[in-house]
Amino acid sequence: MVIAVLIAYLCVLVLVSKRMGGNDSDADFFLGNRRSPWWAVAIGMVGASVSGVSFVSVPGWVPATSFTYMQMVLGFLLGYVVVAYVLLPIYYKSGNVSIYSVLSARLGGVGRLTGAIFFLVNKLLGASVKFYVAAFVLFQMADLQWLPYPFFVVLCLLFVYLYTYKSGIKAVVWTDLLQTLVMVLTLVLLLRAVLAAMGMDFVEGIRFVRESSYSQIFQWEDWSSRNYFWKQFVSGAFVVVVMTGLDQDMIQKNLSCRSLREAQRNMMSYAFIFIPVNLLFLMLGLLIASHYGMDTLPAVGDGLLPYFVKESGALAMVCFSVGMLASSLSSVDSAMTAMTTSFLNDVLRREGACDASFRHKIHLGVAVCVGVLVVLLDFMRNNHAIDLIYQLVSYLYGPLLGMFAFCLFHKKARLESRWVAAVALLSPILSYWVSIKIRTAFSYEMGYELLLLNGLLTYVGILLVSLISSRKI
């Protein structure tokens, strides 16, 4: 039954893309001909942000961290303001498809290529790991062991390719809208299931959550804790600036809006929608944990929600499976489209009219790369390997922050040097070395601060290269 529902859902996505997508042109593939309704983009971005990993992880955080994750979500709001009113005007003014073209104005072709490569590596690793974790959980939960796992991965990615290879971002906007609505509906149905198991209605459930000590959001006391308010709030703001504002994947949808004003309206609407969605995830986690008893949980962390679903019957299983698939595909489809866009425009510099068949081949190549990496992760089947890739991704976002910071703060600079690429490559290595030294000397484990350190080192390095180059001239 589950596999039939999943296949039906995938077919619906293809049909929606055929119905709502445009023609097989660059204008539609890259920017949806700049006709995407802002409200559709805003809703769809929620699904793209909440990956399948978050779908199971956020509810599982509650027993250990209560609702303190909301401190970071509040920090996201500040980050979205910066993206909407500082970065989006720059991208719209440039008039280019790729946001990394902005780097070429200050850092030349080397800077643009370096930024694009960092994005491509980040997105390939991040999208593959997220899809692997979500697909593996779905594969196990839906009891699909009779089907070879690589075939399951290929099947999912094949459907993603089918509904994105022609219309690109235009299809992604509408399919992500559908997938976000499906994900939220799934969340509501799972909440209803746990409330029924606890003998409560929705109003009683809200009252129960509000009165629980685990619904505490703010942590002001221990400044050394990773859950301290200002650490979470500031980190949330910078995470959004880097992982949304400097990410071709997230910005490309905004550039498909009819105007800058609509893109800004979309960004802020999405920011506010994100708050209740995360509250629902945390509420689900608190209710499930309370249902079993906080001190006698049958599973912890990422295993909490899947355990409840397995115990709750066929309907909960179908809801969970469709919700996981929706959240996973809405992340990977936009990632594949953005990688294709950046590779064509920044690496190959096909900024003019691009042959459609050639673009299809590049898009297929991106899908193959994601599929191969997902299957390799399955062969390794090692949490340490996955953790290593996640850490690598967090290090690689820093150079993008540093390069864009240089371009924003030094509007008269013009630097064309291979040392820009060298600085960007050395900064993550130096950041890692500094983090080891700090941990050894002060027993302090750096978290999101690494992103800021990495960006600062990149910025300072490029500034030094610029000063040295100007003196030589």
Side-chain angles (χ1 to χ4, degrees), residues 215-262:
S215 63
Q216 176 189 356
I217 294 177
F218 300 104
Q219 211 269 55
W220 303 98
E221 294 80 20
D222 185 8
W223 67 269
S224 63
S225 169
R226 296 187 71 173
N227 295 324
Y228 181 62
F229 173 80
W230 288 111
K231 281 187 179 181
Q232 293 269 306
F233 183 82
V234 174
S235 296
F238 274 96
V239 164
V240 164
V241 169
V242 175
M243 299 184 71
T244 297
L246 308 183
D247 188 286
Q248 176 70 27
D249 180 8
M250 301 302 288
I251 294 297
Q252 192 166 346
K253 295 175 185 176
N254 290 270
L255 294 178
S256 73
C257 291
R258 294 183 176 93
S259 64
L260 171 60
R261 185 180 295 275
E262 286 204 2

Side-chain angles (χ1 to χ4, degrees), residues 395 427-442 444 446 450 453-454 457:
Y395 276 105
S427 294
I429 298 172
L430 186 56
S431 297
Y432 176 75
W433 179 80
V434 170
S435 70
I436 295 296
K437 291 295 182 182
I438 290 177
R439 184 172 60 189
T440 303
F442 304 104
Y444 180 81
M446 294 188 73
L450 272 171
L453 174 62
N454 201 346
L457 289 173

